[in-house]
Amino acid sequence: MADMTDNRITLTVPGMGSDHCAGIVRTTLERLEGVGEIHTNIASHRVSVTVGAEGPDGEALKRAVEGAGYDVAAVGGDTGRQQIRLTVPGMGSDHCAGIIRSTLERLDNIEAIDTNIANHQVKVTIRANGPEGDTLKRAVEGAGYDVAAVQGEAEEEDAEADAEIEEAYLSQARKRLIIAAVPTTLIMLLMMPHMFWQPIPGYLAIIAVLAFPVVFLYGGIATHKSTWRSLKNGTFNMDVLISMGSLPPYLIGLVGFVYPMTSFIEMAATIMTFHLLGRYLEALAKGRASQAIRRLMTLGAKTARVERDGEEVEVPVKELAPGDIMIVRPGDKIPTDGEVVEGESHLDESIATGESIPVYKSSGDSVIGATINKEGRLRVKATRIGGDTFLSQVVRLIDQAQGSRVPIQEFADRMTGRFVPAVLAIALASLIAWAIFPDALRPILDWGATFLPWVNPEAATPVLAILAAIAVLVIACPCALGLATPTALMVGSGIGAERGILIRSGEAIQTFKDVKVMVLDKTGTITRGEPKLTEAVAAEGVDESHLLTLAASVENASEHPIARAIVDGAKERDVKPGEVSEFRSTGARGVSGKVGNETVLIGNRRLLEEEGVSGLDALADDMQALENKGRTVVIVAADGKAMGLVAVADTLKQESVEAIRGMHDLGLHVVMITGDNERAARAVADEVGIDEVQAGVLPEGKVDAIRALQEKHGNHVAMVGDGINDAAALTQANVGIAIGAGADVAIEAADVTLVRGELTAVVDAMHLSRATFGKIVQNLIWASAYNVAAIPIAAIGLLHPMIGVIAMTTSSLSVIGNSLLLKRRYSRTQPDGEPS
């Protein structure tokens, strides 16, 4: 755990486009004294560094990363100062603001304090090692003012800054590509007639001039600067290979001015141009891969209508405070998380749950910020703002998932760490081998020339040696390996977010796809968690509607959950409760009252036997059958005679049977753990097709139950729970799955969070994790196979460097493209089904 004096500094590194690059950045920063944890996220191009009190500052970290060959576009976090915002609802005048200012000024390391009584916010700028948010909160509360929220300055602002930085990086890549592509195209147009038709006078001088800006100026200068820094730093990035593949050919080509030889200048320009094309297309494609989180960031409303001093005023969402009453008109977005205090409407919650069917909301219901009000006018009380909102939590979780690592990735990490030095060694070995043993290697070229038009066995030995070495340098592609995992995670986590499936990390994806046992809690997961009237059995000669009228009339005077279930069930059957008098409750045993002229008694068999009710034996078989189904049965009697039975049960969720069938189709062993008695639990299990039941398990016993299943089945156990009551059991399981409904779900509680309160979402999540992991494996196999096959082919002289650089560019793009196929596959998916 980080020390309390540790600072966290965030660097934005636009050129950190793969795990290979991220590894170089990590290795560089680890050399610095006082550096703790380092987290890299190539999706957002961010490096988060924990540094001790005596550790380097942001500028020192920036210099180190730039020394490794990567430009740093922004430095943020605790780089000497930070800003904290306090929301103080009671700060209603300048007098109050003055008290708060003078209170905070007494604390050490406070640089500036800004108060705004219009939005009740206090912005405090703090120097390094200054007080934390909780300290500021205690100080303000000590002055007599409640603090409703404490937050850092940057949740929303960072999203906009990141978008600007990424757009600037893409724009610069586009400019470099255009500046390189124009002269290179002219070189290609001149090269064709010069080689195959008529030699062009002064050709070498013309192409040398045209290629110079491509290789040395705006086109290639950034690549060579990165190479120089990288070599000085003792690290080796992809740019080293490109510089080694483009500079020597250009310089060797200049020898042609004094000694007639093959020109390599065209090759130098082509290699650099295709490298820049690859960088640009890679940035574009990765932008598509991570667009889900970007879309989430921009979904929120920008302004809100709030009631202030009896009037409706429009304010920026950033200025909302908890407790503000927001007015949401039809077609508007809900500005922030809140609770409906007046009105009713249907909300489109598809951004949170993936469900396209609007959800009915009325007074007392919670609503999620950025969801869309379809028809009615609502008054909503703001409950969560800024970084505390559901949407902000989702964005943070996706960001965390996209920056996480998958255990299978360790092999690729080890490989890419040694990749560039190995390629340089192979290129040098190839150059030497061709120089020393040309006669032994030429037969390979004779064979290759029969089907490869660019192979020329008659070329001079120095030319063949140079071509082979350069081909090795430019065809090698550590980026393909480095992109294999992150791009799949970007796409997979984005797809999940759009469907209300939030997977915390890459490790969870790998573990989830190996799950063999799925443990389900009964109440609230398989069943609705609320009793409902299931059956009414009238005694002989008694009408069912009369039976329900008697039961509902008496139970209507009770607040017991079973009583409410009977009343609601009767109303659903168009039976209205009558007036009751002389109502009396006997605690847990039953209730009684007078309905019309009849004296009604409702309760269990023992109570009715004690009261001498007749006709109970005639209902005994029906009662036994209902209890065997797991029902809670009460007997209704009138004037001393049994009138019939009313059965209540915690009913199944509509989708439970389908969900458990889907789990069986995935080969899962499904276990239900519940605190209910064996008979009730078994009845539910038989109805939905559960494989194993563990009944009578208290909440604290669930951890032991999970542990026992792990001993029996190995570490392949997942558990589905509500994320709050089952927190310990979810932690013990290899994969904890929190299932909830909308904003009520505990996002921080589990490895996988399902926003929809439906069990079918578990099956959808399993399909998604398997599909995402499958893409990771495919990408790693392709990238590894490409490099293993391409480098030896280049070394023996069968690949021209121009073909090699095209293949290198294609290999990176193919990894990204393969990941994007996952998105295409899921675009044909129904909201509650698996991919078609």
Side-chain angles (χ1 to χ4, degrees), residues 428-482:
L428 182 62
S430 178
L431 183 76
I432 293 168
W434 273 101
I436 298 175
F437 309 111
D439 294 335
L441 293 169
R442 276 186 194 275
I444 297 171
L445 299 187
D446 291 330
W447 169 74
T450 60
F451 58 92
L452 297 173
W454 56 79
V455 174
N456 180 13
E458 306 303 320
T461 297
V463 171
L464 293 174
I466 292 168
L467 287 174
I470 293 172
V472 169
L473 291 170
V474 298
I475 202 167
C477 190
C479 286
L481 273 169

Side-chain angles (χ1 to χ4, degrees), residues 167-422:
E167 185 53 44
Y169 179 72
L170 198 60
S171 173
Q172 195 176 52
R174 190 188 304 115
K175 255 187 229 169
R176 284 203 179 107
L177 173 61
I178 291 167
I179 287 170
V182 171
T184 301
T185 303
L186 290 173
I187 290 170
M188 293 294 108
L189 291 173
L190 291 171
M191 184 178 76
M192 295 301 173
H194 178 75
M195 288 177 64
F196 301 110
W197 181 46
Q198 178 73 35
I200 298 172
Y203 172 76
L204 188 61
I206 294 168
I207 63 167
V209 170
L210 287 171
F212 188 79
V214 177
V215 178
F216 290 98
L217 299 182
Y218 194 73
I221 190 67
T223 301
H224 304 318
K225 275 170 67 178
S226 170
T227 297
W228 175 242
R229 293 170 183 165
S230 177
L231 292 173
K232 272 204 317 182
N233 194 52
T235 53
F236 298 88
N237 62 17
M238 179 74 183
D239 289 333
V240 173
L241 299 180
I242 298 302
S243 289
M244 298 290 284
S246 59
L247 288 175
Y250 187 94
L251 298 173
I252 292 168
L254 296 179
V255 175
F257 284 111
V258 293
Y259 178 80
M261 65 173 291
T262 303
S263 170
F264 294 103
I265 293 175
E266 305 94 332
M267 186 192 306
T270 306
I271 286 169
M272 183 57 70
T273 301
F274 270 99
H275 167 64
L276 295 173
L277 174 65
R279 280 285 164 92
Y280 175 64
L281 293 177
E282 207 175 282
L284 269 182
K286 274 176 58 204
R288 281 188 63 204
S290 61
Q291 68 186 190
I293 189 169
R294 236 177 300 226
R295 191 160 53 238
L296 280 173
M297 287 174 170
T298 58
L299 278 176
K302 304 298 180 206
T303 60
R305 291 186 189 88
V306 296
E307 292 180 357
R308 294 269 166 91
D309 301 322
E311 292 183 9
E312 274 186 38
V313 294
E314 193 164 303
V315 299
V317 166
K318 292 177 185 178
E319 295 182 8
L320 286 173
D324 276 343
I325 300 298
M326 305 176 290
I327 307 302
V328 187
R329 297 172 182 170
D332 285 355
K333 288 180 179 178
I334 305 291
T336 192
D337 295 357
E339 181 183 314
V340 178
V341 293
E342 187 182 303
E344 55 183 328
S345 183
H346 284 84
L347 298 190
D348 178 355
E349 294 189 336
S350 57
I351 64 137
T353 65
E355 284 291 345
S356 57
I357 300 170
V359 180
Y360 176 75
K361 299 287 182 179
S362 61
S363 184
D365 290 333
S366 59
V367 293
I368 301 172
T371 55
I372 300 169
N373 181 21
K374 301 299 282 186
E375 73 266 335
R377 183 180 185 273
L378 298 174
R379 290 178 72 240
V380 178
K381 182 172 75 174
T383 54
R384 292 190 286 198
I385 60 168
D388 296 328
T389 63
F390 173 81
L391 197 62
S392 295
Q393 290 182 69
V394 171
V395 168
R396 272 200 303 274
L397 194 69
I398 296 173
D399 196 51
Q400 180 181 332
Q402 292 182 344
S404 66
R405 311 181 73 69
V406 183
I408 195 176
Q409 196 180 344
E410 289 174 12
F411 162 74
D413 287 346
R414 286 198 300 272
M415 196 166 165
T416 54
R418 302 176 178 87
F419 190 92
V420 176

Side-chain angles (χ1 to χ4, degrees), residues 469-529:
I470 293 172
V472 169
L473 291 170
V474 298
I475 202 167
C477 190
C479 286
L481 273 169
L483 289 166
T485 299
T487 53
L489 285 179
M490 277 183 226
V491 176
S493 58
I495 290 168
E498 290 170 350
R499 284 162 171 73
I501 300 166
L502 308 176
I503 301 176
R504 179 175 297 282
S505 66
E507 185 177 357
I509 285 176
Q510 181 165 340
T511 309
F512 197 13
K513 62 98 186 168
D514 290 328
V515 162
K516 293 183 173 64
V517 179
M518 187 67 69
V519 178
L520 308 175
D521 184 37
K522 180 179 82 74
T523 306
T525 302
I526 299 172
T527 63
R528 295 186 184 281

